[in-house]
Amino acid sequence: MAEDSKTPLLDQLEEGPWPSFVTEIKRAAETKDSAKDLLHQLERSYEDRIGHWKHGGIVGVKGYGGGVIGRYSDLPEEFPAVAEFHTLRVNMPAGWFYTSEKLRELCDVWDKHGSGLTNMHGATGDIILLGAPTKALQPCFDDLEEIGFDLGGSGSDMRTPSCCVGPGRCEFACIDTLDLLHNITMEFQDELHRPMFPYKSKIKISGCANDCVASVARSDFSIIGTWRDSIRIDQDEVANYAHEGMDIQAEVVGLCPTGGMKWDAESKKLSIEDGECNRCMHCINTMPKALRPGKEKGATILVGGKAPIVRGALLSWVIVPFMKMEPPYDELKDLIRRIWEWWDENGKMRERLGELINRLGMRAFLKAVDLPPLPQMIRAPRANPYYFWDPEEVK
Amino acid sequence: MASRTDFGPPNYKDMLPPVILKNYGLWKYHEQVKPGVLKHVAESGDELFTVRVGSGRLVSTDWIRDVCNIAEEFCGGHLRFTSRHNLEFLVSDKEQVEPLIALLKEQGYAIGGTGHAISNPVHTQGWIHCHTPATDASGIVKAVMDDLYEYFADSKLPAYCRISLACCLNMCGAVHCSDIAILGIHRKPPVVNHDVVRAKCEIPNVIAACPTGAIRPDPKAKSLTVNEDKCMYCGNCYTMCPGMPLADPIGDGISIWVGGKISSARTPPRFSRLVIPFIPNNPPRWPEVTDAVRNIVETWATYAHKHERMGEWIDRVGWERFFSLTGIPFTVQLIDDYTLASETFRSTPAFKW
């Protein structure tokens, strides 16, 4: 490409208050030909209103089946520096916490081997190193290994699991999301790095029902912190919120989905009918100084969440209402393994766990993974008479 | 080659600032000091201040070094990212908060995204790096957030509002449970390239990848045929087989979905629903998309009660009111005709005009 070729369309995206990705590409382009060609190929997409990347090929590093996404320009003669422009998915530390020292090491490795462009972070949670030629992949990984960064998942494997900030900085966290994430990521390294399943499998961990990592929508296994006893109330702090102008009747009691709260404005006392509480988090979110989750903490396990491909989007379904979540997390790991085994045995190519449960029935799933049916699993019992009996039960 | 494999990510414990190591799991409460600034207080009385800034998600190593410099000056070198591509400076010395904010403002960082605000849109690669996009991702997000910047920088909405963008139905951004989802769609069936199909594709896998059963084998050509009446352009066949491209400058564009949520607060998680079936791609700033999103945000902000998310507001007023209040035309594409569509049909004559 010509050194002085212009990007009038993309230049318009350098204006305005929101951070500009175009500015970032241009910064990398000062020293990297690949970033320069990326910029100009993108300008071409803006002119043509179509993407210019070809279908990925199989590329990778030794010992791994996933973690690298192949990407090739469909205009390699015009933009030779992005003819091969592969992505490395690098497993982030739990909770996306970093020291500047660690990030600088990562930047040095990526400047040495790649485009100098990254996503912090990709949709699944990995650090995305965006764009390197095939020959740079192995040397780049070798240097990543030196500084202690391993690859994440891709293809039909366990994708890089992620979690919320958890006990690192959130008083709502009912489980140690960071420790659990690190622990299961280390436990399932083989499943993460060597695609062996019918399709992708995602695990996401949230410390409470606010679900800051969207586990219920975006993961086959959603692990969401909760509690089994009563919300802890500090009545003095409740009174303080009222004193500072909060309309407790309207903002807290009136929005409780179970109608299980009462506010006595005279005596400034809030009461909660504990049997009615469904632990939705609204009142705690609204008055974090006054209300806290109970002390008997654990997680609800839900499965089956996914985006539309292939048969439609699903939200995860409750399969274990409450599980204690303490190291070494054997009960959870055992359950995940049982479920993977059933899915691996019965799933068709590109059939996610939720789709398989839909095809074979929740009844078959529960039996196969040995979980008891419970009313917490459903919104309502069936309204049709089309149900089955095992002949063994009809005697 | 590397001397080891399967060694896993860096241990998060080595990344945590001292105030977090000391108060891990012992946080008592938090409050929003002002938009973009949170204060977490531990049982010990220790305080941790978080200053949140938006990022464009696609950042250079220069940018990462810039924010490292800032973190070293104000935060002992400690920082983190959020699940929505925000950057958070973790400040344990209260005296450093205002000087940090002043520096960030001076250098043009976008502070905000906390409380009842529009946080950073989760989004995908688009034309920057994806092979199946129906639109760009970063460009639309930039245009939308430039336009709605006041709602990122301030906490003045009835509740928080999550905007997400995915550049095709694969939804790497899993946008399907957002208050407002911006989704790239194709509108033309794949054009089968028989030579490529024969050379590169596993025919049974391509057939199995079609949700509507629109793809059949073509034994004579040793290839495939597409029943175009059944195809709804999901692109899954193209993901399986490069001989089935369907991107097209006229066919491709944007759809808008609203009312989804993830949190269980008050009401359960739910999907976003289609309200605008197609807006043509109009780079570089997609003005029709930014106008549509602003209209939806501001109509909701005008009529919703405090704490009412987009979908909860629509539950209360009804979908027919959503369309009359926003002025968005109702078209036949909004009526479901996929599996179990009838669950979305109304069975009561009690509705609003």
Side-chain angles (χ1 to χ4, degrees):
Chain A
M1 44 145 274
E3 279 298 313
D4 58 350
S5 59
K6 301 284 193 286
T7 54
L9 294 174
L10 290 174
D11 291 352
Q12 295 177 51
L13 290 170
E14 289 198 276
E15 294 154 17
W18 191 249
S20 172
F21 69 101
V22 175
T23 303
E24 292 303 313
I25 300 176
K26 286 185 175 179
R27 291 179 81 181
E30 285 171 22
T31 53
K32 301 284 193 304
D33 286 344
S34 59
K36 205 183 291 175
D37 274 3
L38 175 69
L39 185 73
H40 288 90
Q41 182 178 306
L42 186 62
E43 179 78 6
R44 179 69 63 81
S45 283
Y46 271 56
E47 291 164 4
D48 297 349
R49 304 186 179 195
I50 198 164
H52 282 296
W53 296 104
K54 278 201 294 192
H55 216 270
I58 295 173
V59 289
V61 301
K62 284 174 194 160
Y64 288 74
V68 186
I69 315 298
R71 195 65 79 224
Y72 302 86
S73 170
D74 72 1
L75 302 167
E77 275 135 35
E78 282 181 76
F79 306 114
V82 293
E84 298 165 358
F85 199 63
H86 312 312
T87 299
L88 290 123
R89 290 185 184 160
V90 176
N91 197 342
M92 72 296 183
W96 300 286
F97 282 97
Y98 295 94
T99 59
S100 57
E101 186 190 354
K102 207 75 202 161
L103 282 175
R104 286 181 195 282
E105 290 173 7
L106 188 66
C107 289
D108 291 345
V109 168
W110 188 229
D111 276 340
K112 183 175 162 193
H113 297 285
S115 69
L117 290 169
T118 74
N119 293 140
M120 299 298 279
H121 295 76
T124 297
D126 296 287
I127 302 160
I128 303 296
L129 301 180
L130 199 63
T134 310
K135 66 178 185 331
L137 295 173
Q138 187 67 47
C140 184
F141 176 67
D142 294 345
D143 284 351
L144 287 172
E145 187 256 329
E146 288 282 318
I147 60 168
F149 278 102
D150 203 346
L151 295 184
S154 71
S156 295
D157 63 11
M158 179 184 83
R159 297 296 180 87
T160 304
S162 72
C163 72
C164 70
V165 69
R169 199 201 47 200
C170 185
E171 71 273 20
F172 299 160
C174 294
I175 53 177
D176 189 342
T177 56
L178 301 168
D179 184 62
L180 174 59
L181 180 77
H182 192 70
N183 190 305
I184 61 168
T185 303
M186 298 309 290
E187 177 87 12
F188 297 128
Q189 284 287 299
D190 195 28
E191 288 82 355
L192 176 64
H193 290 138
R194 280 153 216 105
M196 58 179 88
F197 292 138
Y199 199 12
K200 66 181 95 170
S201 182
K202 297 193 173 193
I203 302 176
K204 291 187 186 292
I205 305 165
S206 283
C208 79
N210 287 322
D211 198 2
C212 287
V213 289
S215 71
V216 77
R218 308 184 60 173
S219 54
D220 302 86
F221 295 89
S222 317
I223 300 159
I224 302 178
T226 191
W227 64 94
R228 213 156 38 175
D229 51 348
S230 312
I231 289 179
R232 288 176 281 167
I233 308 179
D234 182 334
Q235 295 289 358
D236 292 341
E237 291 292 351
V238 175
N240 276 340
Y241 276 108
H243 183 70
E244 286 165 13
M246 183 181 285
D247 183 344
I248 290 180
Q249 183 60 42
E251 287 194 48
V252 182
V253 174
L255 294 178
C256 172
T258 66
M261 303 182 90
K262 284 201 179 72
W263 168 239
D264 186 336
E266 289 279 303
S267 65
K268 299 261 187 295
K269 282 274 181 292
L270 184 72
S271 57
I272 300 175
E273 207 176 322
D274 290 315
E276 299 305 318
C277 176
N278 68 1
R279 306 169 321 289
C280 82
M281 293 299 292
H282 171 75
C283 62
I284 297 176
N285 290 339
T286 310
M287 299 197 294
K289 271 188 191 174
L291 302 178
R292 311 174 75 180
K295 287 183 166 173
E296 196 188 343
K297 294 170 179 173
T300 300
I301 316 294
L302 308 89
V303 298
K306 62 184 284 295
I309 299 296
V310 177
R311 305 216 165 267
L314 299 171
L315 290 164
S316 285
W317 307 302
V318 172
I319 59 157
V320 180
F322 189 85
M323 186 185 280
K324 279 277 181 197
M325 213 44 67
E326 282 156 8
Y329 311 108
D330 285 339
E331 190 182 356
L332 176 69
K333 290 173 186 170
D334 184 53
L335 178 65
I336 291 173
R337 284 202 172 92
R338 292 204 308 273
I339 293 173
W340 273 341
E341 194 182 323
W342 178 75
W343 173 52
D344 209 17
E345 220 159 83
N346 296 281
K348 295 180 187 171
M349 170 92 169
R350 286 172 78 69
E351 187 173 47
R352 295 279 290 274
L353 175 61
E355 289 165 324
L356 176 63
I357 294 173
N358 260 344
R359 180 164 65 83
L360 297 186
M362 184 59 91
R363 187 179 69 126
F365 170 76
L366 293 176
K367 190 176 176 192
V369 303
D370 193 23
L371 288 171
L374 295 166
Q376 286 82 3
M377 293 174 176
I378 56 165
R379 276 195 293 128
R382 75 165 74 219
N384 62 68
Y386 304 138
Y387 53 96
F388 297 93
W389 291 100
D390 187 330
E392 290 298 306
E393 293 170 302
V394 189
K395 277 182 180 168
Chain B
M1 71 177 267
S3 54
R4 23 173 216 159
T5 59
D6 296 356
F7 47 91
N11 194 322
Y12 66 96
K13 288 177 188 165
D14 300 330
M15 304 290 150
L16 300 176
V19 65
I20 288 184
L21 285 170
K22 181 183 164 197
N23 298 288
Y24 192 86
L26 299 170
W27 297 102
K28 194 172 175 196
Y29 68 89
H30 77 280
E31 58 193 28
Q32 180 176 258
V33 179
K34 57 184 175 182
V37 184
L38 302 173
K39 178 171 89 168
H40 286 81
V41 180
E43 304 276 8
S44 67
D46 288 351
E47 295 177 343
L48 172 62
F49 292 85
T50 299
V51 180
R52 182 178 291 176
V53 304
S55 90
R57 190 180 90 119
L58 192 163
V59 295
S60 65
T61 46
D62 292 337
W63 182 90
I64 297 173
R65 290 193 185 94
D66 287 347
V67 300
C68 285
N69 288 337
I70 297 171
E72 281 162 9
E73 189 177 344
F74 296 94
C75 316
H78 290 280
L79 67 168
R80 77 173 285 266
F81 292 84
T82 73
S83 56
R84 303 190 76 83
H85 322 306
N86 294 303
L87 169 65
E88 293 185 332
F89 293 100
L90 304 169
V91 190
S92 49
D93 177 1
K94 189 178 180 178
E95 300 305 314
Q96 295 286 351
V97 175
E98 286 305 322
L100 168 63
I101 291 170
L103 179 91
L104 291 171
K105 283 187 174 162
E106 184 194 316
Q107 298 194 356
Y109 287 88
I111 301 173
T114 60
H116 289 182
I118 296 177
S119 190
N120 202 342
V122 165
H123 59 283
T124 57
Q125 301 289 21
W127 292 334
I128 284 173
H129 206 241
C130 181
H131 68 292
T132 64
T135 186
D136 191 33
S138 309
I140 302 169
V141 164
K142 164 73 175 149
V144 165
M145 290 309 285
D146 277 343
D147 186 52
L148 295 176
Y149 186 71
E150 61 186 298
Y151 298 112
F152 175 83
D154 207 345
S155 305
K156 59 182 182 181
L157 291 167
Y160 61 78
C161 179
R162 297 283 185 255
I163 300 179
S164 307
L165 183 148
C167 51
C168 83
L169 267 62
N170 268 304
M171 281 197 202
C172 299
V175 303
H176 53 293
C177 297
S178 309
D179 294 278
I180 301 177
I182 303 168
L183 176 67
I185 59 156
H186 303 288
R187 292 187 302 166
K188 292 188 175 184
V191 180
V192 183
N193 180 330
H194 294 296
D195 290 337
V196 177
V197 171
R198 277 191 291 267
K200 293 195 171 171
C201 306
E202 300 264 359
I203 287 175
N205 289 344
V206 186
I207 293 170
C210 180
T212 62
I215 301 174
R216 283 192 311 206
D218 179 352
K220 269 191 189 162
K222 292 187 177 161
S223 179
L224 298 158
T225 57
V226 178
N227 178 345
E228 298 195 351
D229 291 341
K230 279 182 157 182
C231 173
M232 43 66 179
Y233 339 106
C234 73
N236 201 34
C237 56
Y238 180 63
T239 300
M240 298 304 290
C241 170
M244 312 279 286
L246 73 167
D248 180 276
I250 302 296
D252 296 353
I254 302 285
S255 58
I256 307 280
W257 308 64
V258 309
K261 72 194 277 277
I262 296 291
S263 157
S264 287
R266 301 170 303 283
T267 53
R270 65 175 76 182
F271 293 124
S272 314
R273 304 281 173 170
L274 181 63
V275 295
I276 301 178
F278 187 74
I279 301 172
N281 277 321
N282 191 4
R285 296 201 76 99
W286 282 267
E288 298 84 359
V289 174
T290 58
D291 286 353
V293 173
R294 175 174 277 272
N295 174 37
I296 293 166
V297 167
E298 296 197 328
T299 306
W300 162 68
T302 302
Y303 293 101
H305 296 164
K306 192 172 179 187
H307 299 296
E308 213 167 42
R309 296 276 298 272
M310 183 78 68
E312 294 170 312
W313 165 62
I314 296 169
D315 272 355
R316 180 168 57 79
V317 300
W319 280 102
E320 65 275 34
R321 281 294 277 162
F322 171 84
F323 286 99
S324 65
L325 289 171
T326 57
I328 295 172
F330 190 85
T331 68
V332 73
Q333 288 86 3
L334 310 188
I335 299 177
D336 195 353
D337 47 17
Y338 191 60
T339 315
L340 299 178
S342 62
E343 282 183 6
T344 63
F345 300 162
R346 196 192 295 268
S347 299
T348 165
F351 52 78
K352 300 174 188 175
W353 298 113

